[in-house]
Amino acid sequence: MSTHKKTMSGLRLYPDPLELRFETLPIPEITHPDDAIVKVTLAGLCGSDLHAYRGLEPFDIPYITGHELVGIVVSLGKNFQKAVAGRPDLYSTLKVGDKVVSPFTSSCGECRPCRIGFTARCDDSLLFGSPRLPGAQAQYIRIPRAGGTLFKIPQDESILGTEPVARVRTSDASLILLADILPTGYFAALQAIQHPNLAYAFAHKSFPVIPRFVSAFITGGESIKVEEDDAKLAFAVVGLGPVGLCALVSLVELLSLTGTPNFAIVAVDPNEARRTKAENILATLGSSPGGVIRVASVEDAPRVSKELSGGLGCDAILEVVGNNSALQLAYELVRPFGVISSVGVHTHPQFPLNGDALYSKNVSLAFGRCPVRSIFPYCIELLMSHQDIFSVGGAAGLIDKIVPFDEASVKEAYRMFNEGKCGKVLFQMSSD
Amino acid sequence: MSTHKKTMSGLRLYPDPLELRFETLPIPEITHPDDAIVKVTLAGLCGSDLHAYRGLEPFDIPYITGHELVGIVVSLGKNFQKAVAGRPDLYSTLKVGDKVVSPFTSSCGECRPCRIGFTARCDDSLLFGSPRLPGAQAQYIRIPRAGGTLFKIPQDESILGTEPVARVRTSDASLILLADILPTGYFAALQAIQHPNLAYAFAHKSFPVIPRFVSAFITGGESIKVEEDDAKLAFAVVGLGPVGLCALVSLVELLSLTGTPNFAIVAVDPNEARRTKAENILATLGSSPGGVIRVASVEDAPRVSKELSGGLGCDAILEVVGNNSALQLAYELVRPFGVISSVGVHTHPQFPLNGDALYSKNVSLAFGRCPVRSIFPYCIELLMSHQDIFSVGGAAGLIDKIVPFDEASVKEAYRMFNEGKCGKVLFQMSSD
C-alpha cells in the first residue's frame, strides 16, 4: 500500500443500542491471496441499508455499513499477476491504480452458480456492509474473491468483457450506480420482459410461445397469430425510489428499442417528491413512439392501470419496494397470467398472498437479489447515454447530492433518507 | 336432440350435510345460441374433485360434479352452422354426431385473454362441476361458449387447428386425458423448461439469455459460454398422482427430444403404490440418452436431489399436489435462481413461504390453472405415441379402471380415490 496510514474513518452500525457510530478504524489488510484492498472514492447510501438501521434485520455485532462503491485498487493479494487457466481474467490483468466498481455482493466467478450467471448466489457470496463482510462506508475496503467480484472500468480504448469497447466516459458518481441500483432496476425490467407470459406481444403469437433455444423439440401445437391490437403490453413500476427510477428508465429504454408501438406504463409511489422526480426523468427521456407513461399515487394506480390496459390489468409489475403493501398492490394491478418481478428485500415474516390468490389469477413471480456481476455489462451503454439522469442534481438527476464523509453529514444523510426527505446520497471520501 | 328422454342420471354434491347423491335429473337444454349439448361417453374423476368432497372448498348449493369428459354432440345452439368472421371456426364446422373433448373450463375464444392464449382466464370462463356450471358426471352436459370451448376429435384425415393431420387414433379413455390432466402435466413441465432461468443449459450461454423475440433490442452485455459439464438440468416432480405422472412423462419426453444429454429428475411421492406406478411408466419409456431418473419418497427426496444436482439443488420443481407441505418441499429442493411450477389447486389460507425465504434463494414461481384449450394441441402427439401409458390397466397404464356410472360404483370410486387406494378412475355412461 502506498500510504503509511494505519487507520481510517469508517461508519459502523451497532446493535445494542441500535446506532451509527463514525469511528477511527484499522485499515483492512489482505487476508487471502485473492483479496484486493480498494481505496474508496465514493460510497453510496441505499434503501436496503435502512432495513438494519430501522431495526428490521436483527444482528449481533457492529459492522461497517454500505455496499456501493467506486474506488482505486491500492493493494492486491499474491494470486494476482499470475495467469491461471480457468480463473477469472482479472487475476492476471488487474493492477494497483486501476479504477473499479464492486457489486454489492462478492462472487468468486468460479463456482457453478457464477459460471452459469447467477453471481448473486455464488457459493462464496457475501454481502458487503453486513456482519459477515465489512462495507463500503469507510475510506478503505477489503474485497474478497476480487478477481471474480470487481469490475474494472476501462480508462482508455480497452477490453470490456470479451469485446473491445470505447473508454467508459462518465463520472465516478455515475459509475457507482453500477454497484447496485442500475443493474437491480434493469434486472427488474429484464425479468418482466423476458418472461414467457409476455412473449405473445413480441412474437405476435399466442401463448405458449416457445423460445428458440427450446423450440426445436416441441412437436404439435398451433401457432395462432396475435393481431397488432392485442400485441400491447402494460406495466406498473411500484416504488419510485432510486432503484424504482432505474427500473423505470431501463423498462422505457428496452421497450422503446423494441419498436413495440403499443406499451403503457404506470409508475406508482405514495411520495409526491418521488413522483415529481419520475415526471422530470420521463420528460428527459422524451417521447417514446407509441408508448404511454403515467405517474400515479397508490390510490390512483388501480384506476390508471385499468385505463392503460383496457381493463385487463398489467402484464407485469416491477415491485421495487420490498414490503407487503407493495406486493399486495402488485397483485391487485397484475392481469391473470401476469408477472410480478420483485427485487426488493422482504423482511416481513408473513407473506401477504396465499396459494388460492396466486392460483386464481395464474400469477408468476420472481424474487431475489440482482446478479449484478452478470447484469452490469448490459447497463453501461444505458448509463453513458443518459448522463442527465444518472448523475447528481438537476431536475432529472437521479442522485440527490454528494456529501462529505464526516460524522455530521453522514448521520444527517441517513436521517433524511430514512424519512423520505431526500433521494440518493453519495459520500465523498477525503483524499488523504 | 335425437332422444325423447327428458331425464338422465347425474351425480350431485350437496353442501349440508356434505354428501354425494346419485340422482335422476332433467337433461340440460340449450339456453344460449352458443351452447352445445353433449351426450357424455366417459367422465373422469380428478384429484381436484376431492377438494369440495373433503369440505375444503365451501359452497352453498348442490351441483353436478366432474370436469373431464369425452362425448358426442347431440344438439347445437342456433349460432352454429353460421360462419361469422372473427368467431372460432367451430361455430361453422361442428355438427351433431361429432366426437368432442372439453377442457375443464369453458372459454369463449374471443376475448383478449383467449386471443393471446390464456384461455383458463377467459373473461367468461367457468369451471365445469362447480356451483356456477353443472359438471360432467352425468349423462348429458351443456357446454357454454361451445365454439370456443370444445375440441373436435377428427375421425378421418382432417384438419386439426390450422394444419391437416392424420386421424386421431386412440380410445375414448385416452382422449379424456386431454380434458385436464395431460395438458396440466404438460403445462407444469413447459412452465419449467421455458423459464429464462433454465435457458443457460439449452443455449449454452450464461444468464441472462435473452429470447430471440426480445433480443434484437438488448444492447451491451457479455455472452459467456457455458461449458458442456455445466449445461445440465436437474428437476423434481413433487406428487405422482395422475397429473404428476403426466407431468413426469411430459418432462421426460421434452427433455429427451432436446438431445440435452445431461438431465436428472427425481420423482417424489409419499405413497408407495404411486411410486411403483411411476417406476413402471419410466420402464415403459425406455432409456433416455444421458438422463438419470430416480423415484423417491419424501424423506429421501432432499438427498437424491442433492446427489443428482451435484449438491446445488434442482433447477426446477414441478409441484403437482397443491398443498403447503408440497410447496415447502419444492422450496427445499430448488436451487438458488430456480423455478417452482405449481399447477395444483391451493386452498390453505396461509402461504408456507415468506418474502425473505423467496428473496434469499431468488426463487421464481408460476401458479395457476392450465389453459387447456391452448395447450392440448401440443399433447396429442404425446398421447398417441404412448398408448401403453395413456390407457387403462396394465403395469404402466395411467388410468386405473373404468367403472359403470351407477350409484354404488361411483360412490365406491370416490371413497377409494379419496383414500389413495386407487388411481385414475373413469365413469362409463350407459348408452341409453
Side-chain angles (χ1 to χ4, degrees):
Chain A
M1 218 172 295
S2 60
T3 170
H4 295 291
K5 276 186 62 184
K6 296 284 180 210
T7 61
M8 65 175 186
S9 299
L11 190 64
R12 292 209 294 181
L13 189 66
Y14 279 72
D16 189 20
L18 185 64
E19 64 177 5
L20 282 174
R21 296 191 200 161
F22 193 85
E23 300 178 306
T24 298
L25 299 165
I27 290 176
E29 293 178 359
I30 301 282
T31 59
H32 183 282
D34 288 349
D35 285 350
I37 306 296
V38 172
K39 185 173 197 296
V40 178
T41 310
L42 284 173
L45 175 56
C46 175
S48 52
D49 288 321
L50 298 177
H51 289 290
Y53 176 81
R54 288 171 177 166
L56 298 174
E57 271 174 8
F59 62 101
D60 293 329
I61 56 166
Y63 63 87
I64 298 177
T65 50
H67 55 253
E68 298 176 345
L69 73 113
V70 57
I72 304 292
V73 175
V74 292
S75 177
L76 289 167
K78 64 179 196 280
N79 282 345
F80 285 83
Q81 312 305 330
K82 293 192 299 194
V84 175
R87 299 216 78 195
D89 291 346
L90 228 49
Y91 284 112
S92 48
T93 59
L94 192 65
K95 293 189 173 52
V96 168
D98 282 343
K99 182 182 287 193
V100 290
V101 175
S102 177
F104 66 99
T105 53
S106 66
S107 51
C108 71
E110 297 171 80
C111 66
R112 186 157 179 256
C114 277
R115 293 195 305 267
I116 61 182
F118 302 123
T119 53
R121 300 294 170 203
C122 165
D123 290 345
D124 257 2
S125 182
L126 293 171
L127 173 65
F128 287 105
S130 73
R132 295 180 60 201
L133 186 62
Q137 291 167 4
Q139 288 180 291
Y140 294 85
I141 184 170
R142 183 181 69 86
I143 310 289
R145 298 294 211 162
T149 301
L150 290 173
F151 191 73
K152 177 180 167 178
I153 305 299
Q155 295 302 298
D156 47 24
E157 303 292 327
S158 181
I159 301 295
L160 186 64
T162 55
E163 296 298 317
V165 296
R167 175 177 170 178
V168 176
R169 294 173 193 277
T170 187
S171 68
D172 287 356
S174 294
L175 287 174
I176 201 172
L177 301 179
L178 292 173
D180 179 352
I181 72 168
L182 181 54
T184 296
Y186 190 95
F187 178 60
L190 194 63
Q191 285 196 129
I193 64 169
Q194 74 172 346
H195 196 281
N197 289 12
L198 273 67
Y200 75 91
F202 298 109
H204 287 70
K205 284 182 194 167
S206 65
F207 180 86
V209 178
I210 316 292
R212 185 173 293 245
F213 44 79
V214 289
S215 66
F217 62 90
I218 303 288
T219 56
E222 297 166 309
S223 171
I224 297 173
K225 185 172 190 296
V226 166
E227 300 296 336
E228 195 61 38
D229 274 357
D230 284 335
K232 59 192 173 194
L233 292 170
F235 297 84
V237 179
V238 173
L240 301 175
V243 181
L245 294 172
C246 286
L248 177 62
V249 173
S250 298
L251 183 63
V252 172
E253 282 296 287
L254 289 171
L255 288 170
S256 298
L257 286 166
T258 61
T260 303
N262 285 317
F263 70 84
I265 302 172
V266 53
V268 186
D269 202 286
N271 180 314
E272 188 175 350
R274 287 178 163 192
R275 294 200 300 272
T276 301
K277 177 66 77 176
E279 296 277 16
N280 294 340
I281 285 176
L282 291 169
T284 302
L285 286 178
S287 64
S288 304
V292 177
I293 309 173
R294 300 261 294 277
V295 179
S297 66
V298 169
E299 294 69 33
D300 290 343
R303 181 180 53 75
V304 175
S305 161
K306 291 278 181 193
E307 273 176 35
L308 294 182
S309 63
L312 191 61
C314 291
D315 294 77
I317 316 296
L318 282 51
E319 188 277 287
V320 199
V321 180
N323 67 30
N324 279 358
S325 61
L327 265 182
Q328 276 168 316
L329 178 62
Y331 180 79
E332 185 181 352
L333 300 182
V334 77
R335 68 158 164 80
F337 282 89
V339 177
I340 297 173
S341 169
S342 169
V343 295
V345 179
H346 288 264
T347 53
H348 198 282
Q350 196 62 64
F351 201 67
L353 308 168
N354 67 20
D356 179 49
L358 297 170
Y359 178 88
S360 299
K361 220 171 173 179
N362 275 71
V363 178
S364 287
L365 309 107
F367 283 87
R369 178 178 282 174
C370 173
V372 170
R373 191 62 190 76
S374 293
I375 296 291
F376 71 24
Y378 291 86
C379 302
I380 289 176
E381 193 168 312
L382 185 61
L383 185 83
M384 288 195 292
S385 61
H386 290 294
Q387 285 294 295
D388 40 358
I389 296 171
F390 300 114
S391 61
V392 185
L398 203 141
I399 301 163
D400 201 354
K401 56 189 170 188
I402 302 180
V403 302
F405 189 65
D406 60 42
E407 178 155 12
S409 304
V410 165
K411 289 189 172 177
E412 172 75 355
Y414 263 84
R415 191 182 62 75
M416 296 277 284
F417 191 56
N418 184 44
E419 293 171 5
K421 290 182 179 159
C422 70
K424 185 81 184 166
V425 180
L426 305 182
F427 302 131
Q428 175 80 59
M429 298 297 156
S430 66
S431 57
D432 66 354
Chain B
M1 221 172 295
S2 61
T3 172
H4 295 292
K5 278 185 62 182
K6 296 285 180 211
T7 61
M8 65 174 187
S9 299
L11 189 64
R12 292 208 294 181
L13 189 65
Y14 279 73
D16 189 21
L18 185 64
E19 64 178 4
L20 282 174
R21 295 189 200 163
F22 192 85
E23 299 179 306
T24 298
L25 300 166
I27 290 176
E29 294 177 358
I30 301 284
T31 59
H32 183 282
D34 288 348
D35 285 351
I37 306 296
V38 172
K39 187 172 195 298
V40 178
T41 310
L42 284 173
L45 175 56
C46 176
S48 53
D49 288 322
L50 298 177
H51 289 288
Y53 176 81
R54 289 172 175 164
L56 298 174
E57 271 174 8
F59 62 100
D60 293 330
I61 56 166
Y63 63 87
I64 299 177
T65 50
H67 55 252
E68 297 176 347
L69 74 113
V70 57
I72 304 293
V73 175
V74 294
S75 178
L76 290 167
K78 63 177 197 278
N79 282 345
F80 284 83
Q81 312 304 330
K82 293 193 297 194
V84 175
R87 300 216 77 195
D89 291 346
L90 228 49
Y91 284 111
S92 48
T93 59
L94 192 65
K95 294 190 171 53
V96 168
D98 282 343
K99 183 182 287 193
V100 290
V101 175
S102 177
F104 66 99
T105 53
S106 66
S107 51
C108 72
E110 298 172 79
C111 67
R112 184 155 180 257
C114 277
R115 293 195 305 268
I116 60 182
F118 301 121
T119 54
R121 299 296 169 201
C122 165
D123 289 345
D124 257 2
S125 181
L126 292 171
L127 173 65
F128 288 104
S130 73
R132 295 180 60 200
L133 186 62
Q137 290 167 5
Q139 288 180 291
Y140 294 86
I141 185 170
R142 183 181 69 86
I143 309 290
R145 299 293 211 161
T149 301
L150 289 173
F151 191 74
K152 178 179 167 178
I153 304 299
Q155 294 301 298
D156 48 24
E157 303 292 326
S158 181
I159 302 295
L160 187 64
T162 56
E163 297 297 317
V165 295
R167 175 176 172 181
V168 176
R169 294 171 193 278
T170 187
S171 68
D172 288 355
S174 294
L175 287 174
I176 201 172
L177 302 179
L178 292 173
D180 180 352
I181 73 169
L182 180 54
T184 296
Y186 191 95
F187 178 60
L190 195 62
Q191 285 195 130
I193 65 169
Q194 71 174 347
H195 195 282
N197 288 13
L198 273 67
Y200 74 91
F202 297 110
H204 286 71
K205 284 183 195 165
S206 66
F207 180 86
V209 179
I210 316 292
R212 184 173 293 244
F213 44 79
V214 290
S215 65
F217 63 90
I218 302 287
T219 55
E222 297 167 308
S223 170
I224 298 173
K225 185 170 189 297
V226 167
E227 299 297 334
E228 195 62 36
D229 274 357
D230 285 335
K232 59 191 173 194
L233 292 169
F235 296 85
V237 179
V238 173
L240 300 176
V243 180
L245 294 172
C246 286
L248 177 61
V249 173
S250 298
L251 182 63
V252 172
E253 283 297 286
L254 289 171
L255 288 170
S256 297
L257 286 165
T258 59
T260 302
N262 284 316
F263 70 85
I265 302 173
V266 54
V268 185
D269 201 285
N271 179 315
E272 188 176 350
R274 288 179 161 190
R275 295 200 300 273
T276 302
K277 176 66 78 176
E279 296 276 16
N280 293 341
I281 286 176
L282 291 168
T284 302
L285 286 178
S287 65
S288 302
V292 177
I293 309 175
R294 300 261 294 278
V295 179
S297 67
V298 170
E299 293 69 33
D300 290 344
R303 181 181 51 76
V304 176
S305 162
K306 291 276 182 196
E307 273 176 37
L308 294 182
S309 62
L312 191 60
C314 291
D315 294 77
I317 316 297
L318 283 50
E319 188 277 287
V320 199
V321 180
N323 66 30
N324 278 359
S325 62
L327 266 181
Q328 275 167 316
L329 178 61
Y331 179 79
E332 185 181 351
L333 300 181
V334 77
R335 69 158 162 79
F337 281 90
V339 177
I340 297 173
S341 169
S342 169
V343 295
V345 180
H346 288 263
T347 53
H348 198 284
Q350 196 63 63
F351 201 67
L353 308 168
N354 66 20
D356 179 48
L358 297 170
Y359 178 89
S360 299
K361 220 172 174 179
N362 275 71
V363 178
S364 287
L365 310 106
F367 283 88
R369 177 179 283 174
C370 173
V372 170
R373 190 62 190 76
S374 294
I375 296 292
F376 70 22
Y378 290 87
C379 302
I380 290 175
E381 192 167 313
L382 185 61
L383 186 82
M384 290 195 291
S385 62
H386 290 294
Q387 284 295 295
D388 41 356
I389 297 171
F390 300 114
S391 62
V392 186
L398 202 141
I399 302 163
D400 202 355
K401 56 189 170 186
I402 302 181
V403 303
F405 189 66
D406 60 42
E407 177 154 12
S409 304
V410 166
K411 288 189 173 176
E412 172 74 357
Y414 263 84
R415 191 182 63 74
M416 297 276 285
F417 191 56
N418 184 45
E419 293 171 6
K421 290 182 179 159
C422 69
K424 185 81 184 165
V425 180
L426 304 182
F427 302 132
Q428 175 81 58
M429 299 297 156
S430 66
S431 57
D432 67 354

